[in-house]
């Protein structure tokens, strides 16, 4: 890991009416080429001036991010988009009208002003307008579009609080704006607008069903549903990396809830008998796993949005508990459930047990 030794400035702000002084200070850091972590409605982002290639390069350095993984550019309004793209299809405008600000990222033909550090050399650029007063105030005050991936060390669970950001990046970035917990909890939907029928490259808060209501037709990339892809040239470079992983190996158990729960108990019991410290990620309020290991509940499967909100801090909690192995329940891949299962499958790195 590259050595970085920076005094990270911590600034707490009101999430609804952020204090202008803190926003101005953070915006100045961005304009000078520094890195600022900030809350969005999905997860915390690590921002740099998107038009400054050197600043964007330091995002990769701070996170230990593979250089072939492009970064989403965040804007404060639709008027900022045309300068970033070569052309804007009517369908993209319809989607912005329907879902912005919000957790929908559009992949569009890249314009000349965007440095290649942002796109990792691709001919497309990913753009979104976040739905968070702090993020919007920061981008506006900076006066430039802001390139921002999630504000975690590469490969670790994305941060949903400023505390998570500091856990990973304290001393490696110039500042963090603390605006409380990120509400939605998993990253935005990434939609490729460059093919005839738009394709979901990464599932998120805006579901394929939501998109169909506006577009009529939408495809879901098989890798987005499977959660893992090791091809050399996947359509979204981020899809090939093992993301979101806690330190201990995670086994995702999929099946009818009762069958999956008894399989987890069986496997956890075996591991416990071998003297290993077991973690269990539960998605149900009433299943009692406590006899079999350290249980962390991340919402309940009947309300997938509660699982989205709690997933990443649950994964980080297992690190604090120091477990040796984790067994996780799954949920139905419907609506927001598709995004949650995509992240769980990635955290499992392909180790999925079907019952
Ligand atoms: P994150 O690092 O969590 O912000 O994730 C950004 C995601 O968007 C990654 O999966 C990237 O591969 C994807 N992405 C960013 N820019 C593009 C692009 N131009 N084309 C396709 N996928 C992109
Ligand atoms: Mg990320």
């Amino acid at each position: 890991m590259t050595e970085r030794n920076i005094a990270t400035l911590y600034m707490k702000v009101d999430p609804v009416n952020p204090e202008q002084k803190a926003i101005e200070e953070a915006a100045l850091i961005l304009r000078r080429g520094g890195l600022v972590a900030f809350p969005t409605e999905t997860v915390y982002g690590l921002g740099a001036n998107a038009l400054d290639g050197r600043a964007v390069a330091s995002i990769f350095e701070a996170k230990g991010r593979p250089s072939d993984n492009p970064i989403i550019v965040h804007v404060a309004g639709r008027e900022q988009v045309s300068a970033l793209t070569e052309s804007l299809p009517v369908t993209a405008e319809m989607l912005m009208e329907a879902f912005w600000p919000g957790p929908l990222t559009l992949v569009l033909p890249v314009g000349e002003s965007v440095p290649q550090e942002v796109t990792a050399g691709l001919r497309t650029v990913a753009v979104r307008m976040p739905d968070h007063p702090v993020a919007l105030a920061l981008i506006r005050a900076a006066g430039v579009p802001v390139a921002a991936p999630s504000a975690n060390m590469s490969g670790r669970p994305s941060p949903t609080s400023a505390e998570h950001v500091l856990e990973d990046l304290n001393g490696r970035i110039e500042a963090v704006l603390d605006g409380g917990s990120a509400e939605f909890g998993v990253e935005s939907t990434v939609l490729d607008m460059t093919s005839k029928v738009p394709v979901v490259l990464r599932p998120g808060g805006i579901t394929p069903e939501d998109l169909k209501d506006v577009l009529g037709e939408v495809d879901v990339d098989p890798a987005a549903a499977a959660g893992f892809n090791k091809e050399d040239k996947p359509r979204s470079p981020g899809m090939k990396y093992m993301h979101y992983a806690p330190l201990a190996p995670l086994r995702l158990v999929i099946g009818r809830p009762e069958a999956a729960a008894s399989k987890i108990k069986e496997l956890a019991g075996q591991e416990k008998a071998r003297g290993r410290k077991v973690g269990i990620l539960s998605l149900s309020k009433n299943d009692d796993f406590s006899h079999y290991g350290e249980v962390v509940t991340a919402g309940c499967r009947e309300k997938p949005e509660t699982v989205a909100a709690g997933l990443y801090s649950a994964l980080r909690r297992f690190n604090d508990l120091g477990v040796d192995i984790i067994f996780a329940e799954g949920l139905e891949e419907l609506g927001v459930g598709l995004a949650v299962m995509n992240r769980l499958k990635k955290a499992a790195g392909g180790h999925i047990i079907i019952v």
Side-chain angles (χ1 to χ4, degrees):
M1 194 179 8
T2 331
E3 208 44 56
R4 278 174 78 86
N5 204 347
I6 300 167
T8 302
L9 175 65
Y10 169 87
M11 291 185 278
K12 198 167 177 61
V13 288
D14 185 302
V16 183
N17 284 306
E19 292 75 3
Q20 203 50 36
K21 192 165 170 285
I23 295 294
E24 287 297 342
E25 186 149 4
L28 185 63
I29 293 172
L30 287 179
R31 280 199 298 272
R32 287 185 175 155
L35 304 183
V36 177
F38 59 95
T40 78
E41 81 282 28
T42 58
V43 301
Y44 270 68
L46 179 61
N49 174 357
L51 305 179
D52 177 347
R54 282 238 311 254
V56 176
S58 61
I59 293 180
F60 288 88
E61 197 184 300
K63 283 184 55 115
R65 183 179 176 94
S67 60
D68 65 348
N69 196 2
I71 296 181
I72 296 169
V73 178
H74 292 68
V75 296
R78 286 160 64 178
E79 67 286 350
Q80 275 183 303
V81 176
S82 48
L84 299 168
T85 59
E86 195 187 56
S87 60
L88 203 53
V90 187
T91 44
E93 305 220 33
M94 286 158 61
L95 291 167
M96 291 177 198
E97 177 70 33
F99 301 113
W100 280 14
L104 177 65
T105 295
L106 301 174
V107 173
L108 299 161
V110 68
E112 271 171 20
S113 65
V114 181
Q116 67 162 19
E117 285 82 355
V118 170
T119 60
L122 296 178
R123 288 159 66 182
T124 52
V125 62
V127 188
R128 109 170 170 101
M129 178 180 178
D131 188 12
H132 196 295
V134 176
L136 293 173
L138 177 66
I139 301 165
R140 260 185 228 117
V144 288
V146 173
S150 50
N152 52 287
M153 281 307 282
S154 203
R156 315 245 41 96
S158 294
T160 52
S161 69
E163 202 178 35
H164 295 163
V165 173
L166 290 173
E167 240 170 58
D168 284 15
L169 297 174
N170 194 18
R172 304 184 65 79
I173 61 176
E174 276 72 13
V176 56
L177 289 168
D178 182 353
S181 299
E183 205 174 318
F184 181 65
V186 302
E187 303 83 349
S188 62
T189 304
V190 177
L191 185 69
D192 185 356
M193 298 301 295
T194 63
S195 50
K196 200 155 155 261
V197 176
V199 185
V200 174
L201 302 180
R202 175 175 79 182
I206 304 296
T207 65
E209 295 83 5
D210 296 332
L211 295 169
K212 266 181 209 150
D213 286 343
V214 174
L215 295 171
E217 216 183 339
V218 64
D219 287 337
V220 177
D221 192 287
F228 205 65
N229 183 318
K230 278 201 159 169
E231 278 174 46
D232 284 344
K233 281 219 170 300
R235 297 179 66 163
S236 182
M239 295 195 299
K240 74 178 173 208
Y241 295 108
M242 175 160 159
H243 267 86
Y244 322 116
L247 296 170
L250 182 146
R251 307 281 181 260
L252 176 62
V253 183
I254 302 182
R256 267 191 318 107
E258 307 76 49
S262 38
K263 189 68 183 176
I264 288 175
K265 287 175 185 168
E266 178 195 326
L267 295 170
Q270 286 167 8
E271 293 293 338
K272 202 176 158 189
R274 290 170 55 199
R276 300 181 83 195
K277 188 167 179 183
V278 178
I280 297 172
L281 180 71
S282 168
L283 305 186
S284 42
K285 291 276 182 276
N286 36 21
D287 230 313
D288 189 15
F289 292 111
S290 58
H291 186 65
Y292 302 89
E294 302 281 345
V295 184
V296 178
T297 306
C300 65
R301 72 162 63 75
E302 290 76 18
K303 293 189 185 127
E305 62 286 357
T306 62
V307 182
L311 181 66
Y312 289 136
S313 54
L315 293 180
R316 281 177 184 259
R317 178 86 188 110
F318 287 118
N319 294 349
D320 301 338
L321 290 167
V323 298
D324 302 309
I325 185 162
I326 302 162
F327 295 100
E329 292 192 288
L331 46 66
E332 246 195 304
E333 293 184 294
L334 262 184
V336 171
L338 183 67
V340 172
M341 283 301 274
N342 166 273
R343 305 315 189 268
L344 272 172
K345 286 174 180 175
K346 283 195 166 201
H351 294 282
I352 296 166
I353 297 153
I354 300 170
V355 291

